[in-house]
Amino acid sequence: MQKTREFHRQSIEERESFWRREAQRIHWETPFKQVLDYSKPPFARWFVGGRTNLCYNAVDRWLDTQGDQPALIWVSTEVDKEIVYTRADLAREVNAAAAILQELGVVRGDRVLIYLPMIPQAAFFMLACARIGAIHSVVFGGFASHNLAQRIDDAQPKVVVSTDAGSRGGKPVAYKPLLDQAIDIAGHAPEHVVIIDRGLVPCAMHAGRDLAYAPLRARHLDAHVPVVWLESNEPSYVLYTSGTTGNPKGVQRDTGGYAVAMCASMEYIYGGKPGDVYFSSSDVGWVVGHSYVVYGPLLNGQATVMYEGTPVRPDAAVLWRIVEQYKVNALFSAPTAIRVLKKHDPELLRRHDLSSLERIYLAGEPLDELTGQWLSEALDKPVIDNYWQTETGWPILSAQPGLEEVPTRFGSPSFPVYGYDVRAVDESTGQDCGPGQKGVVAIQPPLPPGAMSTIWGDDERFVHTYFESFPGRMLYSTSDWGLFDKDGYWYILGRTDDVINVAGHRLGTREIEESVNTHPAVAESAVVGVADPTKGQAAMAFAVLRAPDLLLEEGARDRLEAEIKKIIEQRNGPVARPARILFVNSLPKTRSGKVLRRAIVALCEGRDPGDLTTIEDPGALDQIRATL
């Protein structure tokens, strides 16, 4: 681990020389004059004066050496289509999309809102925006009208790019009616809406505003749109954090710093090299989709797999079929997807040749120890947990096998990544915590290249939200609890707002969930803190069983509840024992896989669960209501 630690030390103590070296990974049309301008903390400006372009670095730069090689591999098990775009194909499509935007009056600094499912045009228009200096804002496909309207009002896009429908489990999900309603609700009206008609549902067009993509594309298919060179700190995109209430929080990303961070992370963290094939199963509406479906692999000369579908359709081996067919070197997925696969026949994990696959990466939510271990043993592949946020754009904590192979520990996202000066901080004193002491995971600024530069249109909110949490210190707060052990391995213990205070004892929901999940009958669980007149809060647990039929046996509920409580008492102490453990068939989650704990708490306390526009399956919440 010596090499990893020394590399990290250099990135913090010799920051400017470290990032000057890494910046050579990308093309600079104009060299930068200053590596870092940190004259106005906490705002960091990277590679000041340098001019570059994300699209040029992701597409044009590789045309001479990789023109006929795969660049974007689209697999849809929703509509049973697979298309491989070479670098030359990708360049042609991106130039056409850029010409369409220019025809519609989009210029440098204008916003373009992209409301699409996992189809190639999402990547084409993201890269097209980057090419002409426009700022894209991708909104997760199928997002409800109210939430979409908020983002339209905040970003004020000149053009919206959308479609007739997405598909989920083989069933169409209409987008256009949601978009039309959102534009009706919003105060800002985009000048044009470009519609990609997939022929999934009837699509009404709004005369004078809506334009069909197909004829526009045909008209511009041989266009070559000149690259607009941007100063390194000009915005590349705005991405709204999921689950925002009130005014949405637009994470603003720069251009040069992001390009450098993406290229470096593809090698050091994900072990990638030009010509490799990278597969992230995330959606482009989330940060992983921006960084590791579109930009990261393409910037580093790698092919990227874009997948429209679920991990279990047509069967639970579909991810491994894609790995085999396209010789995928690294797979990035979410713990939720893997927990879903755990419920299926383990033989499906051995159906396909996975010899090309070097590692599997999991992020987006906490990875429990049992799931990580199960996958690693089942596939005989390294499973690497990495921890980061929409705000940071790339991992804060991770093993870095492209730098050095080090032992990983299940349940731990390993070590601070180069560029991040990570601390565990006492929230009441602002002092650093030592090994084994739980604190808030914080980062000593400046944030490294690629991290958010501010909140779109609201510098004051950026400072207040992220840098004013600790007394006497300006630190970036992740709002997550964590600790590191004596060997330097970090552990994330849950959100600071998911802490249960039971009779003065502060307990992270993640810690109790880990214990619940060790019971062999449990597939996954959610623990929440519910108001209690005596203790302040009491823990309440909801567990999903691997085999729900177990509950049909006489006395099974009481027996299972007692067994799980005993495990919690043994692992976490009597104070952590939940008041009740209730059994449900599924947990209410957002479309990105996060458990809606606040809604569960509201139901437990007899309150209205509030805005549920991001929920994946409303029936899951209804079941909790019925169980209570």
Side-chain angles (χ1 to χ4, degrees):
M1 287 182 267
Q2 187 59 38
K3 186 175 181 180
T4 302
R5 286 175 175 151
E6 173 59 20
F7 197 71
H8 183 265
R9 185 201 65 77
Q10 290 175 11
S11 74
I12 303 303
E13 297 180 10
E14 303 165 22
R15 187 174 278 120
E16 298 212 6
S17 60
F18 179 92
W19 286 110
R20 185 182 298 278
R21 182 182 71 239
E22 295 302 326
Q24 304 314 306
R25 293 175 176 273
I26 71 165
H27 170 82
W28 295 94
E29 183 69 6
T30 303
F32 50 88
K33 298 173 181 175
Q34 185 179 357
V35 174
L36 170 64
D37 175 5
Y38 194 54
S39 60
K40 188 183 172 185
F43 299 92
R45 300 177 70 241
W46 287 97
F47 310 119
V48 180
R51 291 194 309 143
T52 188
N53 184 282
L54 282 171
C55 180
Y56 179 87
N57 278 284
V59 180
D60 304 58
R61 185 166 66 119
W62 301 98
L63 283 173
D64 288 345
T65 56
Q66 296 185 358
D68 59 351
Q69 294 180 26
L72 177 65
I73 300 164
W74 180 56
V75 179
S76 174
T77 55
E78 295 292 338
V79 296
D80 296 321
K81 286 186 179 179
E82 301 190 18
I83 302 174
V84 177
Y85 295 89
T86 64
R87 289 274 167 179
D89 296 332
L90 180 62
R92 194 177 188 208
E93 296 289 352
V94 169
N95 273 277
I100 291 169
L101 294 176
Q102 285 189 330
E103 179 185 322
L104 299 180
V106 176
V107 297
R108 180 184 196 148
D110 283 345
R111 275 76 62 207
V112 175
L113 190 140
I114 298 171
Y115 184 58
L116 289 173
M118 289 293 284
I119 58 176
Q121 289 80 6
F124 300 161
F125 276 97
M126 289 168 73
L127 290 162
C129 288
R131 187 173 196 83
I132 63 174
I135 300 165
H136 63 69
S137 183
V138 182
V139 177
F140 178 74
F143 231 39
S145 298
H146 173 72
N147 301 73
L148 183 54
Q150 286 182 314
R151 287 150 177 76
I152 290 172
D153 277 339
D154 197 67
Q156 300 199 325
K158 180 175 282 188
V159 171
V160 173
V161 181
S162 191
T163 183
D164 60 331
S167 181
R168 182 75 175 174
K171 298 177 182 178
V173 179
Y175 281 29
K176 187 57 163 50
L178 295 172
L179 175 60
D180 288 341
Q181 187 178 357
I183 293 174
D184 288 342
I185 295 170
H188 171 81
E191 294 177 15
H192 294 288
V193 175
V194 176
I195 293 295
I196 298 154
D197 190 351
R198 306 180 71 195
L200 297 179
V201 298
C203 185
M205 300 290 274
H206 187 289
R209 185 195 71 189
D210 297 351
L211 302 165
Y213 166 70
L216 288 170
R217 172 183 176 271
R219 190 158 71 245
H220 292 294
L221 200 49
D222 293 320
H224 179 76
V225 176
V227 167
V228 174
W229 300 105
L230 302 179
E231 198 278 332
S232 178
N233 294 280
E234 289 186 63
S236 56
Y237 67 78
V238 175
L239 178 60
Y240 292 93
T241 52
S242 59
T244 49
T245 56
N247 294 326
K249 193 167 55 180
V251 169
Q252 180 177 313
R253 197 85 65 205
D254 70 0
T255 297
Y258 186 58
V260 172
M262 288 300 96
C263 281
S265 71
M266 289 308 300
E267 177 183 341
Y268 295 137
I269 299 174
Y270 300 107
K273 59 185 183 300
D276 281 356
V277 180
Y278 190 85
F279 176 16
S280 169
S281 64
S282 183
D283 191 284
V284 289
W286 310 128
V287 69
V288 178
H290 281 58
S291 292
Y292 297 115
V293 174
V294 179
Y295 287 113
L298 294 175
L299 285 164
N300 200 47
Q302 298 174 236
T304 182
V305 177
M306 174 184 272
Y307 177 55
E308 182 185 35
T310 71
V312 293
R313 186 177 184 273
D315 58 42
V318 63
L319 298 182
W320 318 121
R321 191 270 293 175
I322 293 169
V323 168
E324 177 184 40
Q325 182 174 346
Y326 294 106
K327 303 292 186 288
V328 171
N329 305 108
L331 171 66
F332 190 141
S333 192
T336 290
I338 305 306
R339 284 193 282 266
V340 168
L341 298 183
K342 280 174 70 178
K343 300 177 182 178
H344 292 262
D345 185 351
E347 282 303 313
L348 293 170
L349 295 164
R350 292 180 276 275
R351 179 187 288 177
H352 296 282
D353 177 7
L354 304 183
S355 56
S356 66
L357 187 63
E358 296 169 5
R359 298 173 196 88
I360 300 166
Y361 296 83
L362 298 176
E365 56 176 304
L367 172 63
D368 59 282
E369 183 175 342
L370 293 176
T371 297
Q373 190 164 8
W374 173 82
L375 184 64
S376 179
E377 291 175 355
L379 296 181
D380 192 27
K381 302 285 183 183
V383 173
I384 296 178
D385 180 10
N386 54 120
Y387 163 77
W388 47 300
Q389 301 180 313
T390 300
E391 290 85 348
T392 64
W394 56 289
I396 301 169
L397 302 170
S398 182
Q400 294 141 67
L403 181 65
E404 178 186 24
E405 294 282 1
V406 299
T408 56
R409 296 178 181 176
F410 293 115
S412 167
S414 299
F415 314 106
V417 171
Y418 56 91
Y420 291 99
D421 188 354
V422 189
R423 318 287 180 93
V425 178
D426 186 299
E427 63 171 343
S428 57
T429 67
Q431 298 300 306
D432 288 352
C433 299
Q437 295 179 314
K438 183 167 73 174
V440 179
V441 180
I443 301 166
Q444 177 74 47
L447 296 180
M452 71 185 298
S453 50
T454 188
I455 290 175
W456 173 254
D458 201 339
D459 288 351
E460 187 178 336
R461 187 180 179 192
F462 171 67
V463 177
H464 176 70
T465 301
Y466 296 106
F467 293 93
E468 294 182 346
S469 298
F470 304 103
R473 297 181 75 181
M474 179 180 276
L475 296 170
Y476 172 90
S477 174
T478 65
S479 295
D480 281 315
W481 294 109
L483 60 81
F484 58 92
D485 63 19
K486 59 182 177 57
D487 300 318
Y489 287 84
W490 279 76
Y491 298 83
I492 302 300
L493 305 175
R495 296 291 292 173
T496 55
D497 50 10
D498 284 336
V499 170
I500 303 172
N501 194 324
V502 181
H505 296 270
R506 299 174 68 83
L507 306 167
T509 56
R510 170 90 188 279
E511 296 166 285
I512 304 175
E513 286 167 4
E514 290 270 4
S515 297
V516 175
N517 295 345
T518 61
H519 193 287
V522 175
E524 61 177 335
S525 65
V527 173
V528 297
V530 180
D532 182 276
T534 304
K535 300 179 179 179
Q537 281 185 305
M540 184 82 80
F542 295 85
V544 178
L545 298 182
R546 297 181 191 279
D549 288 347
L550 276 176
L551 297 177
L552 299 176
E553 299 172 17
E554 187 175 342
R557 287 180 185 273
D558 292 343
R559 186 175 67 254
L560 278 172
E561 185 172 9
E563 290 173 0
I564 295 169
K565 282 184 176 180
K566 186 175 181 181
I567 291 172
I568 295 168
E569 194 166 335
Q570 290 172 341
R571 288 172 59 104
N572 306 95
V575 71
R577 185 178 58 221
R580 287 301 310 273
I581 297 171
L582 301 175
F583 301 101
V584 292
N585 291 332
S586 60
L587 299 173
K589 296 179 179 179
T590 67
R591 296 184 186 95
S592 62
K594 291 188 171 72
V595 176
L596 286 163
R597 287 186 176 82
R598 291 185 183 278
I600 298 174
V601 171
L603 289 184
C604 291
E605 296 178 350
R607 297 183 283 107
D608 182 349
D611 181 12
L612 299 174
T613 51
T614 62
I615 193 168
E616 173 73 29
D617 178 14
L621 208 58
D622 292 337
Q623 189 181 113
I624 285 183
R625 186 184 283 111
T627 304
L628 288 167

